[in-house]
Amino acid sequence: MKNYLYSLLVFCFTFLVHCETINAQTSTDTPEDFNKLSELFLQKIIDKENTQELQDIFANTTIATLDEALDSNAKRLAFWINIYNAYIQVILQKNPELYDDRGSFFKKEQIKIAGETISFAKIEHGLIRKSQFEYGLGYIRKWFPNKFERKLRVNDPVYHIHFALNCGAKDCPPVAIYEWQRLDEQFNKGTQQYLERTTDYDPSTKVATISSLFNWFRGDFGGKGGIKKILKNKGFIPTTKGIDLEYQNYDWTLDLNNFIEL
């Protein structure tokens, strides 16, 4: 009888340990939905809630984990746009004086992601624009991007990101929470709304006055010919032939909390 009870106790103890191991493995192996976390990050900023816990999650994950989670081009685009826009708000709401020297601000390594400290320039030009040289007008790729950039950058960059990234300036596109499942729909809406605000066409002179974003990143749009095709497809000019382009001055006045739903 004693041997039976002893065997029963050993079995129960072993079974409980096994169950705890399974539960621990399940909770550990469940991957984070980094896209949802990036959306929540922005939503908390909009709701004026503390975001430190989310920042810690982004900082303490690994490159491999993030690479595995962002397993499509849409996921990478949505994630990095949300991260960029969220950290602009977080950092500049706390220290708006940093915007006085914008060149240094965008290049400064101040955002902790997957064990690395990166800059806004790294996110925009390295990760979202797929390793474009910052001053190459969209025509020159970087030769030797580091491992972080190679592993986590988008595979197929799109021009719409220029009407989604908000760098804190008054002339930037407003901040939306981007969801990878409906990214194309949001990109189209955001692009249309931004161009409606910033584009003017004079039929008497056949001059289209457009955002300087088209000039700074002209290669991303396919050059002047590509820009005209976009403007025509969006209904801002009647034809691509005989149209001249002029670029507006960009208003760099700091303008935070500029949110929109798409």
Side-chain angles (χ1 to χ4, degrees):
M1 185 66 178
K2 288 182 179 179
N3 289 337
Y4 171 77
L5 291 175
Y6 178 79
S7 298
L8 181 61
L9 287 172
V10 170
F11 171 80
C12 291
F13 177 78
T14 304
F15 179 77
L16 289 172
V17 169
H18 179 66
C19 289
E20 286 296 321
T21 302
I22 291 174
N23 289 335
Q25 288 175 342
T26 301
S27 61
T28 301
D29 293 344
T30 301
E32 296 278 10
D33 187 337
F34 283 97
N35 284 97
K36 283 295 182 186
L37 292 177
S38 75
E39 295 167 25
L40 180 60
F41 191 12
L42 269 175
Q43 188 60 58
K44 281 183 172 290
I45 292 170
I46 293 170
D47 296 337
K48 302 187 185 305
E49 297 178 4
N50 188 282
T51 63
Q52 190 58 55
E53 184 177 352
L54 289 170
Q55 293 182 53
D56 291 342
I57 292 173
F58 297 133
N60 294 323
T61 189
T62 65
I63 293 175
T65 299
L66 194 54
D67 178 34
E68 183 179 2
L70 303 178
D71 59 2
S72 73
N73 202 62
K75 286 183 179 180
R76 294 187 177 217
L77 283 167
F79 176 80
W80 287 118
I81 291 170
N82 288 340
I83 290 295
Y84 184 101
N85 288 346
Y87 270 104
I88 285 286
Q89 302 294 318
V90 166
I91 294 173
L92 289 178
Q93 284 177 1
K94 185 177 181 180
N95 297 298
E97 70 280 359
L98 294 175
Y99 211 60
D100 294 341
D101 185 353
R102 292 190 302 276
S104 296
F105 172 73
F106 291 116
K107 289 181 176 63
K108 181 180 179 181
E109 295 177 343
Q110 55 189 322
I111 303 163
K112 295 183 179 180
I113 305 286
E116 302 279 337
T117 305
I118 60 176
S119 66
F120 286 105
K122 167 79 82 174
I123 296 176
E124 179 178 6
H125 308 298
L127 298 169
I128 297 177
R129 298 180 64 223
K130 196 180 181 181
S131 300
Q132 282 287 335
F133 176 54
E134 184 175 353
Y135 303 108
L137 302 176
Y139 294 109
I140 304 174
R141 293 279 298 277
K142 289 193 286 186
W143 288 1
F144 303 110
N146 64 11
K147 176 184 176 182
F148 183 96
E149 192 169 316
R150 294 194 312 272
K151 293 289 286 184
L152 297 175
R153 66 191 177 186
V154 305
N155 298 312
D156 299 303
V158 295
Y159 76 80
H160 304 82
I161 61 98
H162 296 296
F163 310 119
L165 288 175
N166 179 290
C167 68
K170 189 171 183 180
D171 271 353
C172 284
V175 176
I177 298 176
Y178 283 92
E179 304 170 26
W180 72 268
Q181 300 94 329
R182 58 189 197 94
L183 193 60
D184 288 342
E185 172 195 348
Q186 290 181 296
F187 273 164
N188 288 330
K189 284 183 180 179
T191 297
Q192 188 71 30
Q193 291 181 20
Y194 185 79
L195 295 183
E196 286 174 357
R197 178 164 67 88
T198 59
T199 304
D200 181 66
Y201 175 65
D202 186 344
S204 66
T205 60
K206 294 187 177 181
V207 173
T209 305
I210 57 179
S211 170
S212 291
L213 292 171
F214 282 113
N215 189 32
W216 300 334
F217 305 107
R218 66 192 72 167
D220 291 9
F221 300 102
K224 283 192 173 182
I227 294 170
K228 292 178 183 180
K229 286 180 181 178
I230 292 168
L231 294 174
K232 181 179 182 297
N233 291 339
K234 297 292 183 182
F236 294 101
I237 57 176
T239 179
T240 60
K241 300 183 183 301
I243 303 291
D244 289 324
L245 302 177
E246 291 185 356
Y247 303 100
Q248 302 166 353
N249 291 326
Y250 205 77
D251 189 342
W252 287 100
T253 305
L254 184 61
D255 183 27
L256 301 176
N257 299 307
N258 181 15
F259 300 112
I260 191 174
E261 290 187 16
L262 291 176

PDB file of all heavy atoms in Angstrom, residues 139-171:
ATOM      1  N   TYR A 139      17.989  57.918 -56.020  1.00  0.00           N
ATOM      2  CA  TYR A 139      18.672  57.243 -57.127  1.00  0.00           C
ATOM      3  C   TYR A 139      19.902  56.440 -56.691  1.00  0.00           C
ATOM      4  O   TYR A 139      20.454  55.693 -57.489  1.00  0.00           O
ATOM      5  CB  TYR A 139      19.125  58.273 -58.163  1.00  0.00           C
ATOM      6  CG  TYR A 139      17.993  58.982 -58.874  1.00  0.00           C
ATOM      7  CD1 TYR A 139      17.722  60.313 -58.629  1.00  0.00           C
ATOM      8  CD2 TYR A 139      17.194  58.306 -59.801  1.00  0.00           C
ATOM      9  CE1 TYR A 139      16.689  60.980 -59.298  1.00  0.00           C
ATOM     10  CE2 TYR A 139      16.169  58.957 -60.465  1.00  0.00           C
ATOM     11  CZ  TYR A 139      15.922  60.286 -60.208  1.00  0.00           C
ATOM     12  OH  TYR A 139      14.900  60.929 -60.864  1.00  0.00           O
ATOM     13  N   ILE A 140      20.349  56.601 -55.442  1.00  0.00           N
ATOM     14  CA  ILE A 140      21.604  55.996 -55.016  1.00  0.00           C
ATOM     15  C   ILE A 140      21.368  55.137 -53.774  1.00  0.00           C
ATOM     16  O   ILE A 140      20.928  55.635 -52.733  1.00  0.00           O
ATOM     17  CB  ILE A 140      22.670  57.071 -54.708  1.00  0.00           C
ATOM     18  CG1 ILE A 140      22.890  57.978 -55.926  1.00  0.00           C
ATOM     19  CG2 ILE A 140      23.975  56.411 -54.284  1.00  0.00           C
ATOM     20  CD1 ILE A 140      23.805  59.147 -55.663  1.00  0.00           C
ATOM     21  N   ARG A 141      21.689  53.856 -53.901  1.00  0.00           N
ATOM     22  CA  ARG A 141      21.571  52.944 -52.776  1.00  0.00           C
ATOM     23  C   ARG A 141      22.866  52.929 -51.960  1.00  0.00           C
ATOM     24  O   ARG A 141      23.958  53.105 -52.506  1.00  0.00           O
ATOM     25  CB  ARG A 141      21.286  51.522 -53.276  1.00  0.00           C
ATOM     26  CG  ARG A 141      19.938  51.319 -53.935  1.00  0.00           C
ATOM     27  CD  ARG A 141      18.836  51.125 -52.929  1.00  0.00           C
ATOM     28  NE  ARG A 141      19.034  49.943 -52.115  1.00  0.00           N
ATOM     29  CZ  ARG A 141      18.691  48.710 -52.486  1.00  0.00           C
ATOM     30  NH1 ARG A 141      18.154  48.494 -53.687  1.00  0.00           N
ATOM     31  NH2 ARG A 141      18.889  47.695 -51.678  1.00  0.00           N
ATOM     32  N   LYS A 142      22.735  52.691 -50.670  1.00  0.00           N
ATOM     33  CA  LYS A 142      23.918  52.522 -49.825  1.00  0.00           C
ATOM     34  C   LYS A 142      24.603  51.201 -50.171  1.00  0.00           C
ATOM     35  O   LYS A 142      23.945  50.201 -50.427  1.00  0.00           O
ATOM     36  CB  LYS A 142      23.532  52.533 -48.346  1.00  0.00           C
ATOM     37  CG  LYS A 142      23.117  53.905 -47.847  1.00  0.00           C
ATOM     38  CD  LYS A 142      23.038  53.949 -46.339  1.00  0.00           C
ATOM     39  CE  LYS A 142      21.825  53.228 -45.811  1.00  0.00           C
ATOM     40  NZ  LYS A 142      21.677  53.396 -44.342  1.00  0.00           N
ATOM     41  N   TRP A 143      25.935  51.195 -50.148  1.00  0.00           N
ATOM     42  CA  TRP A 143      26.692  50.018 -50.537  1.00  0.00           C
ATOM     43  C   TRP A 143      26.746  48.957 -49.444  1.00  0.00           C
ATOM     44  O   TRP A 143      26.620  47.769 -49.713  1.00  0.00           O
ATOM     45  CB  TRP A 143      28.127  50.423 -50.918  1.00  0.00           C
ATOM     46  CG  TRP A 143      28.218  51.146 -52.217  1.00  0.00           C
ATOM     47  CD1 TRP A 143      27.184  51.471 -53.049  1.00  0.00           C
ATOM     48  CD2 TRP A 143      29.408  51.626 -52.850  1.00  0.00           C
ATOM     49  NE1 TRP A 143      27.649  52.132 -54.158  1.00  0.00           N
ATOM     50  CE2 TRP A 143      29.014  52.247 -54.069  1.00  0.00           C
ATOM     51  CE3 TRP A 143      30.747  51.613 -52.512  1.00  0.00           C
ATOM     52  CZ2 TRP A 143      29.930  52.832 -54.934  1.00  0.00           C
ATOM     53  CZ3 TRP A 143      31.665  52.198 -53.367  1.00  0.00           C
ATOM     54  CH2 TRP A 143      31.253  52.794 -54.573  1.00  0.00           C
ATOM     55  N   PHE A 144      26.955  49.380 -48.195  1.00  0.00           N
ATOM     56  CA  PHE A 144      27.216  48.411 -47.136  1.00  0.00           C
ATOM     57  C   PHE A 144      26.332  48.664 -45.913  1.00  0.00           C
ATOM     58  O   PHE A 144      26.836  49.044 -44.847  1.00  0.00           O
ATOM     59  CB  PHE A 144      28.695  48.452 -46.735  1.00  0.00           C
ATOM     60  CG  PHE A 144      29.641  48.204 -47.873  1.00  0.00           C
ATOM     61  CD1 PHE A 144      30.433  49.228 -48.374  1.00  0.00           C
ATOM     62  CD2 PHE A 144      29.725  46.945 -48.453  1.00  0.00           C
ATOM     63  CE1 PHE A 144      31.308  49.005 -49.424  1.00  0.00           C
ATOM     64  CE2 PHE A 144      30.598  46.706 -49.503  1.00  0.00           C
ATOM     65  CZ  PHE A 144      31.391  47.734 -50.000  1.00  0.00           C
ATOM     66  N   PRO A 145      25.013  48.461 -46.036  1.00  0.00           N
ATOM     67  CA  PRO A 145      24.158  48.589 -44.852  1.00  0.00           C
ATOM     68  C   PRO A 145      24.503  47.513 -43.822  1.00  0.00           C
ATOM     69  O   PRO A 145      24.930  46.410 -44.191  1.00  0.00           O
ATOM     70  CB  PRO A 145      22.747  48.384 -45.412  1.00  0.00           C
ATOM     71  CG  PRO A 145      22.933  47.601 -46.664  1.00  0.00           C
ATOM     72  CD  PRO A 145      24.248  48.050 -47.225  1.00  0.00           C
ATOM     73  N   ASN A 146      24.335  47.820 -42.534  1.00  0.00           N
ATOM     74  CA  ASN A 146      24.699  46.849 -41.507  1.00  0.00           C
ATOM     75  C   ASN A 146      23.654  45.745 -41.376  1.00  0.00           C
ATOM     76  O   ASN A 146      22.613  45.752 -42.049  1.00  0.00           O
ATOM     77  CB  ASN A 146      24.937  47.553 -40.168  1.00  0.00           C
ATOM     78  CG  ASN A 146      23.682  48.214 -39.617  1.00  0.00           C
ATOM     79  OD1 ASN A 146      22.573  47.996 -40.100  1.00  0.00           O
ATOM     80  ND2 ASN A 146      23.845  49.015 -38.591  1.00  0.00           N
ATOM     81  N   LYS A 147      23.927  44.783 -40.498  1.00  0.00           N
ATOM     82  CA  LYS A 147      23.063  43.613 -40.349  1.00  0.00           C
ATOM     83  C   LYS A 147      21.653  44.006 -39.947  1.00  0.00           C
ATOM     84  O   LYS A 147      20.673  43.466 -40.488  1.00  0.00           O
ATOM     85  CB  LYS A 147      23.655  42.660 -39.311  1.00  0.00           C
ATOM     86  CG  LYS A 147      22.773  41.449 -39.026  1.00  0.00           C
ATOM     87  CD  LYS A 147      23.352  40.582 -37.920  1.00  0.00           C
ATOM     88  CE  LYS A 147      22.417  39.433 -37.576  1.00  0.00           C
ATOM     89  NZ  LYS A 147      22.957  38.601 -36.465  1.00  0.00           N
ATOM     90  N   PHE A 148      21.523  44.920 -38.998  1.00  0.00           N
ATOM     91  CA  PHE A 148      20.210  45.361 -38.542  1.00  0.00           C
ATOM     92  C   PHE A 148      19.369  45.826 -39.727  1.00  0.00           C
ATOM     93  O   PHE A 148      18.209  45.446 -39.883  1.00  0.00           O
ATOM     94  CB  PHE A 148      20.388  46.501 -37.528  1.00  0.00           C
ATOM     95  CG  PHE A 148      19.111  46.995 -36.914  1.00  0.00           C
ATOM     96  CD1 PHE A 148      18.683  46.507 -35.686  1.00  0.00           C
ATOM     97  CD2 PHE A 148      18.335  47.960 -37.547  1.00  0.00           C
ATOM     98  CE1 PHE A 148      17.507  46.964 -35.106  1.00  0.00           C
ATOM     99  CE2 PHE A 148      17.161  48.417 -36.983  1.00  0.00           C
ATOM    100  CZ  PHE A 148      16.749  47.924 -35.756  1.00  0.00           C
ATOM    101  N   GLU A 149      19.962  46.652 -40.558  1.00  0.00           N
ATOM    102  CA  GLU A 149      19.255  47.208 -41.713  1.00  0.00           C
ATOM    103  C   GLU A 149      18.929  46.132 -42.743  1.00  0.00           C
ATOM    104  O   GLU A 149      17.804  46.074 -43.269  1.00  0.00           O
ATOM    105  CB  GLU A 149      20.118  48.314 -42.336  1.00  0.00           C
ATOM    106  CG  GLU A 149      19.412  49.172 -43.355  1.00  0.00           C
ATOM    107  CD  GLU A 149      20.240  50.399 -43.729  1.00  0.00           C
ATOM    108  OE1 GLU A 149      20.794  51.048 -42.815  1.00  0.00           O
ATOM    109  OE2 GLU A 149      20.336  50.692 -44.932  1.00  0.00           O
ATOM    110  N   ARG A 150      19.884  45.270 -43.031  1.00  0.00           N
ATOM    111  CA  ARG A 150      19.653  44.216 -44.031  1.00  0.00           C
ATOM    112  C   ARG A 150      18.533  43.266 -43.602  1.00  0.00           C
ATOM    113  O   ARG A 150      17.726  42.829 -44.424  1.00  0.00           O
ATOM    114  CB  ARG A 150      20.933  43.415 -44.278  1.00  0.00           C
ATOM    115  CG  ARG A 150      22.068  44.195 -44.915  1.00  0.00           C
ATOM    116  CD  ARG A 150      23.156  43.254 -45.439  1.00  0.00           C
ATOM    117  NE  ARG A 150      23.559  42.240 -44.472  1.00  0.00           N
ATOM    118  CZ  ARG A 150      24.522  42.417 -43.566  1.00  0.00           C
ATOM    119  NH1 ARG A 150      25.155  43.576 -43.488  1.00  0.00           N
ATOM    120  NH2 ARG A 150      24.844  41.425 -42.745  1.00  0.00           N
ATOM    121  N   LYS A 151      18.478  42.947 -42.323  1.00  0.00           N
ATOM    122  CA  LYS A 151      17.503  41.972 -41.833  1.00  0.00           C
ATOM    123  C   LYS A 151      16.097  42.551 -41.703  1.00  0.00           C
ATOM    124  O   LYS A 151      15.109  41.836 -41.889  1.00  0.00           O
ATOM    125  CB  LYS A 151      17.949  41.428 -40.471  1.00  0.00           C
ATOM    126  CG  LYS A 151      19.204  40.592 -40.503  1.00  0.00           C
ATOM    127  CD  LYS A 151      18.973  39.248 -41.166  1.00  0.00           C
ATOM    128  CE  LYS A 151      18.189  38.299 -40.282  1.00  0.00           C
ATOM    129  NZ  LYS A 151      18.036  36.963 -40.885  1.00  0.00           N
ATOM    130  N   LEU A 152      15.981  43.838 -41.389  1.00  0.00           N
ATOM    131  CA  LEU A 152      14.686  44.385 -40.992  1.00  0.00           C
ATOM    132  C   LEU A 152      14.100  45.410 -41.960  1.00  0.00           C
ATOM    133  O   LEU A 152      12.992  45.895 -41.745  1.00  0.00           O
ATOM    134  CB  LEU A 152      14.801  45.019 -39.594  1.00  0.00           C
ATOM    135  CG  LEU A 152      15.162  44.040 -38.469  1.00  0.00           C
ATOM    136  CD1 LEU A 152      15.363  44.795 -37.158  1.00  0.00           C
ATOM    137  CD2 LEU A 152      14.091  42.978 -38.310  1.00  0.00           C
ATOM    138  N   ARG A 153      14.785  45.724 -43.039  1.00  0.00           N
ATOM    139  CA  ARG A 153      14.264  46.702 -43.994  1.00  0.00           C
ATOM    140  C   ARG A 153      13.139  46.093 -44.834  1.00  0.00           C
ATOM    141  O   ARG A 153      12.983  44.870 -44.910  1.00  0.00           O
ATOM    142  CB  ARG A 153      15.387  47.199 -44.903  1.00  0.00           C
ATOM    143  CG  ARG A 153      15.958  46.122 -45.810  1.00  0.00           C
ATOM    144  CD  ARG A 153      17.232  46.585 -46.503  1.00  0.00           C
ATOM    145  NE  ARG A 153      17.799  45.513 -47.320  1.00  0.00           N
ATOM    146  CZ  ARG A 153      18.978  45.593 -47.945  1.00  0.00           C
ATOM    147  NH1 ARG A 153      19.708  46.703 -47.832  1.00  0.00           N
ATOM    148  NH2 ARG A 153      19.417  44.591 -48.667  1.00  0.00           N
ATOM    149  N   VAL A 154      12.372  46.957 -45.473  1.00  0.00           N
ATOM    150  CA  VAL A 154      11.308  46.486 -46.357  1.00  0.00           C
ATOM    151  C   VAL A 154      11.938  45.856 -47.597  1.00  0.00           C
ATOM    152  O   VAL A 154      13.083  46.141 -47.941  1.00  0.00           O
ATOM    153  CB  VAL A 154      10.354  47.630 -46.765  1.00  0.00           C
ATOM    154  CG1 VAL A 154       9.769  48.336 -45.547  1.00  0.00           C
ATOM    155  CG2 VAL A 154      11.059  48.639 -47.665  1.00  0.00           C
ATOM    156  N   ASN A 155      11.166  45.016 -48.260  1.00  0.00           N
ATOM    157  CA  ASN A 155      11.659  44.378 -49.481  1.00  0.00           C
ATOM    158  C   ASN A 155      11.320  45.198 -50.726  1.00  0.00           C
ATOM    159  O   ASN A 155      12.104  45.253 -51.667  1.00  0.00           O
ATOM    160  CB  ASN A 155      11.056  42.982 -49.603  1.00  0.00           C
ATOM    161  CG  ASN A 155      11.460  42.072 -48.463  1.00  0.00           C
ATOM    162  OD1 ASN A 155      12.630  41.989 -48.135  1.00  0.00           O
ATOM    163  ND2 ASN A 155      10.493  41.415 -47.841  1.00  0.00           N
ATOM    164  N   ASP A 156      10.144  45.811 -50.717  1.00  0.00           N
ATOM    165  CA  ASP A 156       9.681  46.577 -51.874  1.00  0.00           C
ATOM    166  C   ASP A 156       9.184  47.950 -51.401  1.00  0.00           C
ATOM    167  O   ASP A 156       8.027  48.089 -50.998  1.00  0.00           O
ATOM    168  CB  ASP A 156       8.550  45.831 -52.595  1.00  0.00           C
ATOM    169  CG  ASP A 156       9.000  44.479 -53.126  1.00  0.00           C
ATOM    170  OD1 ASP A 156       9.960  44.446 -53.912  1.00  0.00           O
ATOM    171  OD2 ASP A 156       8.395  43.457 -52.741  1.00  0.00           O
ATOM    172  N   PRO A 157      10.050  48.964 -51.432  1.00  0.00           N
ATOM    173  CA  PRO A 157       9.621  50.304 -51.005  1.00  0.00           C
ATOM    174  C   PRO A 157       8.590  50.892 -51.957  1.00  0.00           C
ATOM    175  O   PRO A 157       8.555  50.561 -53.148  1.00  0.00           O
ATOM    176  CB  PRO A 157      10.927  51.109 -51.027  1.00  0.00           C
ATOM    177  CG  PRO A 157      11.836  50.369 -51.945  1.00  0.00           C
ATOM    178  CD  PRO A 157      11.450  48.918 -51.858  1.00  0.00           C
ATOM    179  N   VAL A 158       7.735  51.747 -51.429  1.00  0.00           N
ATOM    180  CA  VAL A 158       6.695  52.395 -52.238  1.00  0.00           C
ATOM    181  C   VAL A 158       6.720  53.899 -51.977  1.00  0.00           C
ATOM    182  O   VAL A 158       7.078  54.343 -50.883  1.00  0.00           O
ATOM    183  CB  VAL A 158       5.292  51.832 -51.914  1.00  0.00           C
ATOM    184  CG1 VAL A 158       5.199  50.364 -52.306  1.00  0.00           C
ATOM    185  CG2 VAL A 158       4.963  52.003 -50.433  1.00  0.00           C
ATOM    186  N   TYR A 159       6.317  54.672 -52.981  1.00  0.00           N
ATOM    187  CA  TYR A 159       6.398  56.131 -52.849  1.00  0.00           C
ATOM    188  C   TYR A 159       5.415  56.679 -51.826  1.00  0.00           C
ATOM    189  O   TYR A 159       5.595  57.785 -51.284  1.00  0.00           O
ATOM    190  CB  TYR A 159       6.185  56.814 -54.207  1.00  0.00           C
ATOM    191  CG  TYR A 159       4.758  56.859 -54.702  1.00  0.00           C
ATOM    192  CD1 TYR A 159       3.858  57.810 -54.222  1.00  0.00           C
ATOM    193  CD2 TYR A 159       4.314  55.977 -55.680  1.00  0.00           C
ATOM    194  CE1 TYR A 159       2.552  57.864 -54.692  1.00  0.00           C
ATOM    195  CE2 TYR A 159       3.019  56.016 -56.153  1.00  0.00           C
ATOM    196  CZ  TYR A 159       2.139  56.968 -55.657  1.00  0.00           C
ATOM    197  OH  TYR A 159       0.847  57.022 -56.126  1.00  0.00           O
ATOM    198  N   HIS A 160       4.363  55.921 -51.533  1.00  0.00           N
ATOM    199  CA  HIS A 160       3.320  56.402 -50.619  1.00  0.00           C
ATOM    200  C   HIS A 160       3.843  56.730 -49.227  1.00  0.00           C
ATOM    201  O   HIS A 160       3.190  57.478 -48.486  1.00  0.00           O
ATOM    202  CB  HIS A 160       2.210  55.359 -50.505  1.00  0.00           C
ATOM    203  CG  HIS A 160       1.603  54.964 -51.803  1.00  0.00           C
ATOM    204  ND1 HIS A 160       2.196  54.027 -52.627  1.00  0.00           N
ATOM    205  CD2 HIS A 160       0.468  55.357 -52.433  1.00  0.00           C
ATOM    206  CE1 HIS A 160       1.453  53.860 -53.702  1.00  0.00           C
ATOM    207  NE2 HIS A 160       0.404  54.657 -53.618  1.00  0.00           N
ATOM    208  N   ILE A 161       4.983  56.161 -48.864  1.00  0.00           N
ATOM    209  CA  ILE A 161       5.481  56.399 -47.508  1.00  0.00           C
ATOM    210  C   ILE A 161       5.788  57.873 -47.267  1.00  0.00           C
ATOM    211  O   ILE A 161       5.755  58.350 -46.136  1.00  0.00           O
ATOM    212  CB  ILE A 161       6.722  55.528 -47.210  1.00  0.00           C
ATOM    213  CG1 ILE A 161       7.892  55.824 -48.154  1.00  0.00           C
ATOM    214  CG2 ILE A 161       6.349  54.059 -47.282  1.00  0.00           C
ATOM    215  CD1 ILE A 161       8.923  56.752 -47.588  1.00  0.00           C
ATOM    216  N   HIS A 162       6.073  58.614 -48.322  1.00  0.00           N
ATOM    217  CA  HIS A 162       6.372  60.039 -48.164  1.00  0.00           C
ATOM    218  C   HIS A 162       5.135  60.842 -47.762  1.00  0.00           C
ATOM    219  O   HIS A 162       5.255  61.975 -47.290  1.00  0.00           O
ATOM    220  CB  HIS A 162       6.982  60.585 -49.449  1.00  0.00           C
ATOM    221  CG  HIS A 162       8.302  59.975 -49.779  1.00  0.00           C
ATOM    222  ND1 HIS A 162       9.417  60.129 -48.984  1.00  0.00           N
ATOM    223  CD2 HIS A 162       8.684  59.164 -50.806  1.00  0.00           C
ATOM    224  CE1 HIS A 162      10.431  59.461 -49.509  1.00  0.00           C
ATOM    225  NE2 HIS A 162      10.013  58.867 -50.615  1.00  0.00           N
ATOM    226  N   PHE A 163       3.967  60.247 -47.937  1.00  0.00           N
ATOM    227  CA  PHE A 163       2.727  60.900 -47.535  1.00  0.00           C
ATOM    228  C   PHE A 163       2.140  60.231 -46.291  1.00  0.00           C
ATOM    229  O   PHE A 163       0.962  60.416 -45.964  1.00  0.00           O
ATOM    230  CB  PHE A 163       1.728  60.884 -48.694  1.00  0.00           C
ATOM    231  CG  PHE A 163       2.334  61.389 -49.979  1.00  0.00           C
ATOM    232  CD1 PHE A 163       2.415  60.567 -51.093  1.00  0.00           C
ATOM    233  CD2 PHE A 163       2.859  62.662 -50.051  1.00  0.00           C
ATOM    234  CE1 PHE A 163       3.004  61.017 -52.267  1.00  0.00           C
ATOM    235  CE2 PHE A 163       3.449  63.126 -51.226  1.00  0.00           C
ATOM    236  CZ  PHE A 163       3.517  62.310 -52.334  1.00  0.00           C
ATOM    237  N   ALA A 164       3.013  59.465 -45.604  1.00  0.00           N
ATOM    238  CA  ALA A 164       2.614  58.793 -44.365  1.00  0.00           C
ATOM    239  C   ALA A 164       3.552  59.123 -43.211  1.00  0.00           C
ATOM    240  O   ALA A 164       3.119  59.171 -42.062  1.00  0.00           O
ATOM    241  CB  ALA A 164       2.588  57.274 -44.577  1.00  0.00           C
ATOM    242  N   LEU A 165       4.839  59.364 -43.504  1.00  0.00           N
ATOM    243  CA  LEU A 165       5.797  59.682 -42.451  1.00  0.00           C
ATOM    244  C   LEU A 165       5.621  61.121 -41.985  1.00  0.00           C
ATOM    245  O   LEU A 165       5.559  62.051 -42.789  1.00  0.00           O
ATOM    246  CB  LEU A 165       7.227  59.489 -42.960  1.00  0.00           C
ATOM    247  CG  LEU A 165       7.688  58.050 -43.169  1.00  0.00           C
ATOM    248  CD1 LEU A 165       9.078  58.047 -43.789  1.00  0.00           C
ATOM    249  CD2 LEU A 165       7.686  57.283 -41.863  1.00  0.00           C
ATOM    250  N   ASN A 166       5.560  61.290 -40.671  1.00  0.00           N
ATOM    251  CA  ASN A 166       5.421  62.620 -40.078  1.00  0.00           C
ATOM    252  C   ASN A 166       6.670  62.936 -39.280  1.00  0.00           C
ATOM    253  O   ASN A 166       6.953  62.289 -38.271  1.00  0.00           O
ATOM    254  CB  ASN A 166       4.185  62.663 -39.174  1.00  0.00           C
ATOM    255  CG  ASN A 166       4.003  64.024 -38.519  1.00  0.00           C
ATOM    256  OD1 ASN A 166       4.772  64.404 -37.643  1.00  0.00           O
ATOM    257  ND2 ASN A 166       2.978  64.745 -38.924  1.00  0.00           N
ATOM    258  N   CYS A 167       7.433  63.937 -39.735  1.00  0.00           N
ATOM    259  CA  CYS A 167       8.688  64.288 -39.068  1.00  0.00           C
ATOM    260  C   CYS A 167       8.516  65.409 -38.059  1.00  0.00           C
ATOM    261  O   CYS A 167       9.499  65.932 -37.540  1.00  0.00           O
ATOM    262  CB  CYS A 167       9.736  64.683 -40.106  1.00  0.00           C
ATOM    263  SG  CYS A 167       9.359  66.227 -40.958  1.00  0.00           S
ATOM    264  N   GLY A 168       7.267  65.798 -37.791  1.00  0.00           N
ATOM    265  CA  GLY A 168       7.002  66.819 -36.786  1.00  0.00           C
ATOM    266  C   GLY A 168       6.755  68.209 -37.337  1.00  0.00           C
ATOM    267  O   GLY A 168       6.376  69.114 -36.599  1.00  0.00           O
ATOM    268  N   ALA A 169       6.962  68.407 -38.643  1.00  0.00           N
ATOM    269  CA  ALA A 169       6.799  69.731 -39.237  1.00  0.00           C
ATOM    270  C   ALA A 169       5.351  69.990 -39.652  1.00  0.00           C
ATOM    271  O   ALA A 169       4.579  69.057 -39.883  1.00  0.00           O
ATOM    272  CB  ALA A 169       7.713  69.870 -40.458  1.00  0.00           C
ATOM    273  N   LYS A 170       5.015  71.245 -39.775  1.00  0.00           N
ATOM    274  CA  LYS A 170       3.646  71.641 -40.133  1.00  0.00           C
ATOM    275  C   LYS A 170       3.245  71.112 -41.501  1.00  0.00           C
ATOM    276  O   LYS A 170       2.086  70.771 -41.734  1.00  0.00           O
ATOM    277  CB  LYS A 170       3.522  73.158 -40.106  1.00  0.00           C
ATOM    278  CG  LYS A 170       2.094  73.663 -40.242  1.00  0.00           C
ATOM    279  CD  LYS A 170       2.006  75.157 -39.996  1.00  0.00           C
ATOM    280  CE  LYS A 170       0.560  75.635 -40.052  1.00  0.00           C
ATOM    281  NZ  LYS A 170       0.465  77.104 -39.800  1.00  0.00           N
ATOM    282  N   ASP A 171       4.197  71.054 -42.439  1.00  0.00           N
ATOM    283  CA  ASP A 171       3.878  70.577 -43.786  1.00  0.00           C
ATOM    284  C   ASP A 171       3.979  69.070 -43.936  1.00  0.00           C
ATOM    285  O   ASP A 171       3.803  68.541 -45.041  1.00  0.00           O
ATOM    286  CB  ASP A 171       4.789  71.263 -44.824  1.00  0.00           C
ATOM    287  CG  ASP A 171       4.179  72.562 -45.337  1.00  0.00           C
ATOM    288  OD1 ASP A 171       3.020  72.860 -44.997  1.00  0.00           O
ATOM    289  OD2 ASP A 171       4.866  73.281 -46.087  1.00  0.00           O
TER     290      ASP A 171
END
